[in-house]
Every structure is written in C-alpha cells, then in structure tokens.
Amino acid sequence: MAERQFRAGVDIGGTFTDIVLISDDGVVHTKKVSSTPSDYGLAIVTGLQALLASLGAHPGQVTELVHATTVATNTVLEGKGAKTALVTTRGFRDVVEIGRLRVPMLYNLAYKKPTPLAKRRHRYEVDERLRADGSVETPLDEAAVLEIGLQIASEGIEAVAISLIHAYANPQHEIRVRDLLRSTLGDKVYLTCSHEILPEIREYERTSTTVVNAYLGPVVVSYLNSLIDKLRAIGMKGPVQIMHSNGGVMSAESVMQKPAAIIESGPAAGVIAGASVAKASGYADCITVDMGGTTAKAAIIEQGEPARTTEYEVGAGINVSSKLVKGGGHAVKLPFIDVSEIGAGGGSMVRIDAGGLVKVGPDSAGSVPGPVAYDAGGTTPTLTDAVLTLGYLNPEYLAGGELPVNQQKARDALLTQIAQPTNTELHEAAYGVFSIAASTMTRAVKAVSTYRGRDPREFALFAFGGNGPIIVHAIAELLDMRTVIVPPSPGVFSALGLLFSTTQHEFTQTMFCRLGEAAGAQIGNALEDLVAVATNDLVAKGKARSDIEVACSLDLRYAGQAYELTVPISWWPGDKVNVSEITAAFHAEHERTYGHASKEDAVELVNLRAAASLLSEKARSYDARRAGGSRAPDAKRRSRRAYFGKKDGFIDTPVISRTVLRSGVSVGPLIVEEYDSTCVIPPGATAFVDENENIVITLPEQKA
C-alpha cells in the first residue's frame, strides 16, 4: 500500500512559526511552534517532524515545502546584510544617496535620510556610457574594472551590485564588468547586475533595487542553504519553494539569485489565499486583515484581485502605505502585493508614555520572552495579556494545550503597570488597551481603502492570523463595516495560502513608444519576445510548455507624465495588439485611480510585463470541513465571563467550536475557540458557517 504524501507550507512570524500539511486526500493538518530567532530553520524542522510524527508519517513523505520568510526584511531592518560595494557609470556614484529627494516627515527638522547600504568609499565609478537606445557612446574601460576588482578584494567586500546607465537597453557592459570582477574575486563574492534584477528605466530605483539585492544575497543564500541542509538531514527530499512579494512562488535556487523579490514574502501568501477564498464565497470585494504576534497587515481586494504596486521601500520601519510615505527607506521597484503594515500584534507591548497616555506597540515582546502570560520571562504587559484579562482567550492554554498560559500573571502585570497608574479598573484598562489596538489597526485599513478613494463600508473585512479574528469586530465597528469573514484555520491561514499559490516568474522590458495604430505591430513583436523569455525560463526549470500560462500587462502614462500605471491586457501570442482597446483600458484605470481621465491626450508605453505561471497548480483544493485534521476541536459548549465594554459589561459568554455554527445562524456574544486562533462575536452580532466553512459575521447597524 502506497504511503500518504504531503505538501508542506511554513510561515515564520515574529512569535510563532506556522506549519501546515495537506495530504493527498485534501485533509489539512496544522501546528504552531514558537519561532527561533537565533536560527529560524530550527523551528521549521522540529515543528515539521513533530506534526508528521503525530500523523504516523515521516519527512520522506513530504513532496514539496513552500516557505514564507521574513529573513530578507529583517536583514535590512536590523542592518545585518553583507558588506556591499556598487560599481556604476562615472558620475552616478551618489545616485543611491541622492534618491528622489522625498521626505516622509515634512516638518521634522531632525529627519535623517537612510544610510546607503553601500558606503560611499565602497561605490566605484567606471568609464563607460550607453545611450538610451543601447548604443555605445563610451566603450568600457576594462583595465579600470580589473583595478576596481583588486580594490574590492582588499576591502573584504562580500557582495557587489553592478548598475550601469541604460543597461536595461543593452546589458553587454554589465555582463562584461561581472565577468571581469569574477575573474578577480572568484566565487566567494556575491555579484548581481541591474539588467537581471530590474531591466527598467529610472537609474535611482534600478540602482537601489540592485544594491538591496546584493546586500541581501549572502544572507539569504546562507539561510536557504542551511534550511535545505536541515531538511535533507531529516530525510525530506522534495523541492523547497519560496513565496515572493507578488504572491507567486519561486524555487529556492531562483530566490538565491533574486533575494530582493522576497522582501514581503509572508504577507503576500495570506492575501492571495484570502482573495481566492473570499471570491469563492461571494465576496469578491474585501479587505484582508492579518494580525499576528508582531505586526498587522491590511490589503484591498477588488473583483477578486489584490491591489499590486511596484513602489516599495524597505528599511523604513513599519510600512503604513507604500504610496503615501516615501523617502524613509531604500527603493525596491519590484512587483509587490500592496500591503499596509503597522506595529500592532498580540505581542505588542503596552506602556504609559511621558504624557500619561497608554501606548500599544509598535515594539513587540516577540517569541522570546513573549507576553507575560507565556510565563517565559516577559514582564511588560502586551495586547495578548489584555485580551486574556478580558476573558476572550482560554485562561489555561493556547494552541490546543501546547502552550500553557498564566492568566494571573497577565492580570497582575496589567494591574500594576497600567490600571493602577491610570486610576482605572483592571477590566476597563484591559478594554482600553484592546480599543487602542483596534483603533491603530483602522489606520492600516484606511491606508488601503479611504486614502485611495475607496469606501471601506462597501467591502467585507476578511480576518486571519492568530489575533485577527479576536479583534476584527472592533475594527469593523470603528469603520462602520458590517460583514466580517473568518476562514477555516485562520491562525495558520498564511501558511495554508502558501500551498495554493502558483509558481510565477515575472519579466519586464522597457519600451518607449506613443500608442497609435502604427505601434500595434511593434508592441506585438516585443510582447512575443518577452513571452518567449518567460516561457523558456520555466521550461528550463523542468516545467511542461503546455502547462505554462503567461499574462501580459503594460505600463502606460499620458504624454508628459512622470509616472505610469500598470494595465493588464487580454493579449495572447499570435494575436494582433488592439491599441484602441488598450488605450480605453488605460483611460478607465486612470479615472479609477485618480478620479479623472484625459481622453484627448496621447498615451505612452513605458514598460512591457509578462508573468508566467502553471495552469496545473490553479486547480488545487482542500477539504475545508476537515481543516485542522485530528486537531479539529469538539463541539461541546462551555462558557466563561467576558467583558465587552461599558455598554454591555460582563457577559457569561458561550465558548463553542466552528462546528456548532454549521447548524444555523447564532446570535452573539460567542467565542469560537480553535486550535490555532480564537474568534470573538460581539453582543448583537449574528454568525453562521457558510458552505466554504467560513464564519460569516454580520454586525448590527450603527445607531446615529
């Protein structure tokens, strides 16, 4: 009899590492273990082994592991990347320092620009020059490149970014520089070229992205090699895939060449899964809220598709809105799911500031020592301690009994450090902390909705993460949103989403032309070439040509504009390019984004884009009713005393499992307790489980 086979999804968070297995019969099995910041791979390996052992299985039965990691983001935030050099065209040494002259805090006279990842003394200029059409104006000085190689070797440089002007139009000079440096430096120094990372216009963004890629290279390569070695040591032979920032997955080998692509690896998985589940349940327009132990993320989904952006900065701390805050970090102009992120999670520390105000976050207790309730050395109360004090969480344990909690310690810390200093009753202090966290979360939701011309009341709120379902009703009430959706396995939903993301490789090419009927053939020929590159890339990685699907889009702008919008097009190889249809689509997108369109103005093409994915991977599914596998909780009712604010006070609240809600509509207050998360349904709200096993909560209308 053949052994069962499993696919594994692993998502590392600041507090927990989530592990999901899907067996070949569609059953989902989950496990949460504490993250191991000293070596994140340890939690992955030990958690995977433990979960497999509980199923009577072994690592050899895992056919594929898909991983989302924060290692790239943390490397930049903590300043622990490689010692990096930049080789660029003479006169452009300081591009990464000058940037775009954007200031995120307009009236802050003490604002300091981010320190370049490649120090000025490690930025080298070489004589060469290409024109915008790729023709050579000044030949490359090869002797100077060899001399630079010797200087780099003497400085102990670990990574080199090569970014020459107009290399997107002709990469030959960059290729030659790389070959010459390799002959001098050998294989011990990580080399990366801008034409491979971002073959687009705009020298600052292209150079900055290349420098970030080089800075991350040695760290990401070391991490992935170490993880793969650990997995092979326990007998897992399946390939390791990594989620990239745009919601697809890449092989570990591809990520080692382009580590900048995984900066927002973790948040993307949940958004992609949320878009799929919400659309299947009839909520094509929704806003996802992912709240874990350290941060909370929000993303908007319209007509089943998450918003995407190529405007992103890393190293600016918490990203409130990629379109609204600029100049605080290092530009990375790669495709990203457009996620708004703030420092609010279950581990967010609660303190009283110098003005006597209670603050929740952005600093977090993380997994070590964690909230006070974890009894692992933490002394500063956190949001988790407040929620436990309110009665929303199990007072004895979390994660199905695997994580004991000390409710009394949590109450004592909150009492002595928050309630007594503010002359507040303990339950009111705890509810105040809860309300502050919910208010903070609304900023993230507004950043992807209100600030971009969308009314959040027209969307459903889709909540997941270990803490999302606990607080989501309070966020919805503050925004006057009435529908809340909580998917199955919400606490490990991002890890589950990894297993339903498709392999995706994206390619870009700059191409300037004015849209008109005469341009149709030229654009069509260029798209044919780009699609061939994207297709051949996956074929070279062993994928069947018949299984590859390529979606194309164009970066367009009005003549005279400085920036462009990305517009998907319904074009396939062999088709004629319908310029009129593309122009109309751009006008519509411009009006939707900015509120107006200039239909009499000429439209310009700037970039071509092609994203190759696999058709076979889009048919994956799982049995939602059996999500959680053997850890699915029983259906028996219990109750505990919970506090819902001054209006409703303390209520003896039923504690149920998701299965109870299958029988019909129930009225809150209710607490739905599961292995990986807890969902709070407030007084007056109704809830039921739909055919896709989502908890659908309807909040009462707000009274004027």
Side-chain angles (χ1 to χ4, degrees):
M1 185 175 178
E3 288 184 318
R4 281 184 300 171
Q5 293 187 326
F6 300 89
R7 297 175 61 241
V10 178
D11 180 31
I12 293 177
T15 305
F16 289 105
T17 293
D18 299 335
I19 300 171
V20 171
L21 291 174
I22 294 184
S23 58
D24 43 19
D25 58 357
V27 179
V28 177
H29 305 274
T30 65
K31 187 171 183 64
K32 294 179 81 74
V33 296
S34 293
S35 295
T36 49
S38 60
D39 183 353
Y40 287 113
L42 292 176
I44 295 174
V45 170
T46 56
L48 182 63
Q49 285 181 301
L51 181 53
L52 286 166
S54 71
L55 303 173
H58 57 82
Q61 292 170 249
V62 177
T63 59
E64 178 187 33
L65 185 142
V66 187
H67 179 28
T69 174
T70 58
V71 66
T73 301
N74 291 344
T75 295
V76 180
L77 290 174
E78 297 168 8
K80 296 181 178 178
K83 188 175 183 180
T84 303
L86 168 66
V87 176
T88 189
T89 305
R90 185 167 301 283
F92 291 86
R93 178 186 188 184
D94 296 319
V95 159
V96 290
E97 198 146 7
I98 296 169
R100 289 291 174 195
L101 297 178
R102 289 172 170 173
V103 179
M105 295 172 283
L106 193 60
Y107 301 107
N108 183 359
L109 299 180
Y111 165 70
K112 292 184 178 180
K113 295 176 65 175
T115 303
L117 300 179
K119 296 179 180 179
R120 195 170 194 273
R121 66 177 181 272
H122 297 150
R123 302 200 292 264
Y124 302 93
E125 296 178 320
V126 61
D127 285 319
E128 69 84 40
R129 187 66 184 240
L130 299 174
R131 300 184 183 93
D133 63 0
S135 60
V136 177
E137 179 176 305
T138 303
L140 175 66
D141 186 342
E142 297 191 358
V145 175
L146 292 172
E147 179 61 32
I148 288 171
L150 295 175
Q151 293 180 53
I152 287 173
S154 68
E155 290 284 347
I157 296 296
E158 299 169 293
V160 179
I162 304 166
S163 181
L164 305 180
I165 298 308
H166 300 312
Y168 59 85
N170 179 357
Q172 292 308 309
H173 280 187
E174 282 196 352
I175 292 171
R176 185 57 180 156
V177 169
R178 181 184 59 194
D179 291 345
L180 291 168
L181 291 179
R182 181 69 69 204
S183 68
T184 303
L185 301 172
D187 295 327
K188 292 183 179 180
V189 175
Y190 186 91
L191 301 180
T192 186
C193 294
S194 74
H195 75 272
E196 296 173 320
I197 305 303
L198 185 66
E200 295 182 24
I201 62 167
R202 298 196 175 94
E203 68 279 6
Y204 164 61
E205 285 81 1
R206 182 162 51 87
T207 302
S208 177
T209 303
T210 309
V211 170
V212 170
N213 198 74
Y215 185 78
L216 294 174
V219 176
V220 171
V221 168
S222 176
Y223 169 74
L224 291 178
N225 280 332
S226 174
L227 174 60
I228 292 169
D229 288 344
K230 287 183 175 70
L231 293 170
R232 298 293 179 250
I234 64 172
M236 197 206 91
K237 299 181 176 64
V240 175
Q241 301 268 70
I242 310 297
M243 167 67 68
H244 61 74
S245 304
N246 200 29
V249 296
M250 303 166 63
S251 67
E253 292 73 22
S254 295
V255 169
M256 291 180 196
Q257 297 171 5
K258 198 173 183 179
I262 66 165
I263 285 171
E264 280 291 284
S265 173
V271 178
I272 291 295
S276 175
V277 171
K279 185 177 181 180
S281 303
Y283 299 95
D285 293 338
C286 67
I287 296 171
T288 63
V289 172
D290 174 6
M291 189 175 191
T294 305
T295 62
K297 284 83 68 176
I300 193 167
I301 295 166
E302 295 181 280
Q303 299 179 4
E305 284 296 320
R308 289 177 165 85
T309 183
T310 57
E311 296 181 51
Y312 191 83
E313 291 182 354
V314 63
I318 296 300
N319 175 38
V320 176
S321 172
S322 62
K323 288 184 172 62
L324 296 175
V325 180
K326 287 290 185 182
H330 310 283
V332 180
K333 197 177 185 299
L334 294 173
F336 285 79
I337 299 288
D338 201 350
V339 175
S340 172
E341 184 175 0
I342 59 173
S348 292
M349 293 183 178
V350 184
R351 294 191 176 96
I352 299 174
D353 68 12
L357 296 177
V358 176
K359 298 289 186 181
V360 182
D363 51 335
S364 173
S367 58
V368 180
V372 175
Y374 290 3
D375 214 358
T379 57
T380 303
T382 66
L383 176 59
T384 292
D385 297 309
V387 171
L388 193 59
T389 300
L390 290 170
Y392 299 165
L393 289 177
N394 190 306
E396 298 175 359
Y397 58 80
L398 299 174
E402 296 178 16
L403 179 62
V405 297
N406 189 326
Q407 186 186 46
Q408 191 57 50
K409 272 197 171 182
R411 290 170 59 89
D412 290 345
L414 202 64
L415 177 67
T416 58
Q417 298 181 46
I418 305 299
Q420 290 177 346
T422 57
N423 195 29
T424 309
E425 293 291 336
L426 176 61
H427 57 276
E428 285 294 347
Y431 196 77
V433 169
F434 180 78
S435 300
I436 291 169
S439 179
T440 302
M441 266 302 305
T442 64
R443 291 171 48 220
V445 176
K446 287 180 178 179
V448 299
S449 57
T450 308
Y451 299 165
R452 298 173 190 174
R454 311 297 196 272
D455 186 345
R457 293 173 296 183
E458 298 175 358
F459 294 77
L461 206 52
F462 190 97
F464 54 95
N467 294 289
I470 296 173
I471 201 170
V472 65
H473 71 272
I475 300 168
E477 287 171 353
L478 288 169
L479 294 168
D480 202 16
M481 300 172 73
R482 296 199 60 213
T483 303
V484 171
I485 304 165
V486 179
S489 299
V492 294
F493 190 70
S494 288
L496 181 63
L498 290 168
L499 298 175
F500 295 93
S501 298
T502 61
T503 299
Q504 189 178 84
H505 288 216
E506 300 198 13
F507 295 84
T508 308
Q509 182 60 56
T510 289
M511 176 182 174
F512 288 108
C513 72
R514 186 74 58 92
L515 288 193
E517 292 305 320
Q522 181 186 0
I523 296 171
N525 291 336
L527 284 172
E528 294 274 3
D529 292 342
L530 193 60
V531 167
V533 170
T535 303
N536 292 337
D537 178 73
L538 284 180
V539 170
K541 291 176 171 59
K543 310 301 180 183
R545 190 175 294 272
S546 59
D547 191 31
I548 298 171
E549 178 183 56
V550 182
C552 296
S553 56
L554 304 176
D555 289 353
L556 302 168
R557 67 187 183 191
Y558 288 119
Q561 284 185 318
Y563 289 90
E564 53 278 349
L565 292 172
T566 300
V567 179
I569 60 171
S570 55
W571 174 89
W572 306 101
D575 290 351
K576 283 188 175 181
V577 172
N578 189 326
V579 175
S580 298
E581 185 179 285
I582 292 170
T583 303
F586 170 72
H587 291 316
E589 180 64 23
H590 197 281
E591 186 164 9
R592 190 173 76 93
T593 303
Y594 299 115
H596 65 91
S598 302
K599 296 183 179 179
E600 303 304 317
D601 289 349
V603 178
E604 292 179 337
L605 169 64
V606 179
N607 296 312
L608 311 168
R609 297 185 183 275
S613 57
L614 299 180
L615 290 166
S616 59
E617 295 179 345
K618 295 184 177 180
R620 292 169 173 163
S621 63
Y622 70 100
D623 187 342
R625 291 210 165 201
R626 297 164 75 189
S630 60
R631 284 188 170 82
D634 59 43
K636 67 181 181 182
R637 284 177 175 263
R638 303 182 302 280
S639 67
R640 62 173 170 261
R641 196 163 176 255
Y643 185 71
F644 291 94
K646 287 184 178 180
K647 178 186 174 183
D648 297 295
F650 285 99
I651 301 177
D652 192 29
T653 304
V655 179
I656 63 174
S657 69
R658 188 178 294 247
T659 55
V660 172
L661 295 176
R662 291 177 184 164
S663 58
V665 177
S666 297
V667 180
L670 296 166
I671 295 173
V672 182
E673 198 167 282
E674 303 182 270
Y675 165 74
D676 52 280
S677 187
T678 298
C679 177
V680 176
I681 300 163
T686 60
F688 68 96
V689 167
D690 69 9
E691 64 275 10
N692 293 314
E693 203 63 13
N694 302 301
I695 298 174
V696 180
I697 304 169
T698 302
L699 299 174
E701 289 190 37
Q702 301 285 338
K703 293 182 180 180

